[in-house]
Amino acid sequence: ECHSLVKFKSSRASEDGRALIFDDGRLVALTVIGLKEYTTPKGVHTIDGYALSSLYDDIEFTKLSISEGVTTIRENAILACQNLKTIELPSTLTSISSWAIGNNTDLWYIYLKATTPPTIEGSCSPIQPDKRCMIYVPKDSVSAYRNSEWGEYHNKWDNITGYDYDS
């Protein structure tokens, strides 16, 4: 168990010691112990499954920002983070797996900056449970999201909303 791991000490650790990144640009593990917010390091293009998972009530981590350059988020990448309330996803995101963001019981806000809706890999919503949180997309892209597979999962709750990322 690594529930008290504060930093990684490895040649693959990020400069701040909070992330393990393979040479091919995959972020495979992240520790946020002692943090309320975190932005993933630059140079990452994929967030692997279980990179951030099983954060319990005693961890006050509430906001995750995924850096520009990330194109893919894999299944169960952000899983069961009990106090996580906000996730910011980059404009570079092109693919997200089913259940990529799952069982984050306090998640209320997802800010998704991609103007083109990312492809959903798999057979269900990337956000589970998918009815609670608001998904803020670029205001000129709302109809594209609602008419894509994102809309198939989220239109019934009317939780896809336009947001002005330029202001």
Side-chain angles (χ1 to χ4, degrees):
E1 295 197 19
C2 298
H3 296 292
S4 61
L5 180 66
V6 175
K7 292 194 176 189
F8 296 106
K9 293 181 181 176
S10 164
S11 60
R12 296 184 179 195
S14 58
E15 276 187 36
D16 62 5
R18 295 292 186 155
L20 280 181
I21 304 166
F22 284 1
D23 293 338
D24 62 1
R26 289 181 301 125
L27 190 148
V28 297
L30 185 62
T31 181
V32 293
I33 305 296
L35 301 177
K36 286 192 180 240
E37 298 181 4
Y38 188 74
T39 300
T40 59
K42 302 243 184 276
V44 171
H45 67 73
T46 299
I47 309 294
D48 262 0
Y50 303 99
L52 181 63
S53 65
S54 299
L55 296 181
Y56 299 101
D57 287 333
D58 59 336
I59 297 173
E60 296 182 20
F61 183 67
T62 60
K63 182 179 179 185
L64 176 64
S65 299
I66 306 292
S67 296
E68 290 296 318
V70 170
T71 59
T72 304
I73 301 177
R74 299 235 166 100
E75 187 172 343
N76 297 319
I78 305 163
L79 180 68
C81 301
Q82 300 304 317
N83 291 318
L84 184 61
K85 292 178 180 23
T86 304
I87 298 174
E88 293 180 349
L89 301 173
S91 64
T92 53
L93 188 65
T94 58
S95 174
I96 187 166
S97 295
S98 293
W99 277 88
I101 302 169
N103 287 336
N104 299 290
T105 55
D106 286 345
L107 184 62
W108 286 101
Y109 309 104
I110 294 178
Y111 293 88
L112 178 48
K113 299 176 184 174
T115 54
T116 301
T119 301
I120 298 173
E121 304 294 336
S123 60
C124 65
S125 174
I127 303 156
Q128 297 290 338
D130 59 359
K131 63 183 176 180
R132 291 188 65 196
C133 66
M134 292 300 298
I135 302 170
Y136 295 97
V137 302
K139 63 181 180 179
D140 293 335
S141 300
V142 172
S143 63
Y145 275 85
R146 287 187 177 160
N147 293 319
S148 74
E149 54 198 334
W150 286 84
E152 291 176 33
Y153 300 120
H154 298 284
N155 282 345
K156 57 189 162 198
W157 293 292
D158 196 30
N159 61 345
I160 298 174
T161 301
Y163 189 82
D164 187 1
Y165 288 104
D166 295 326
S167 58

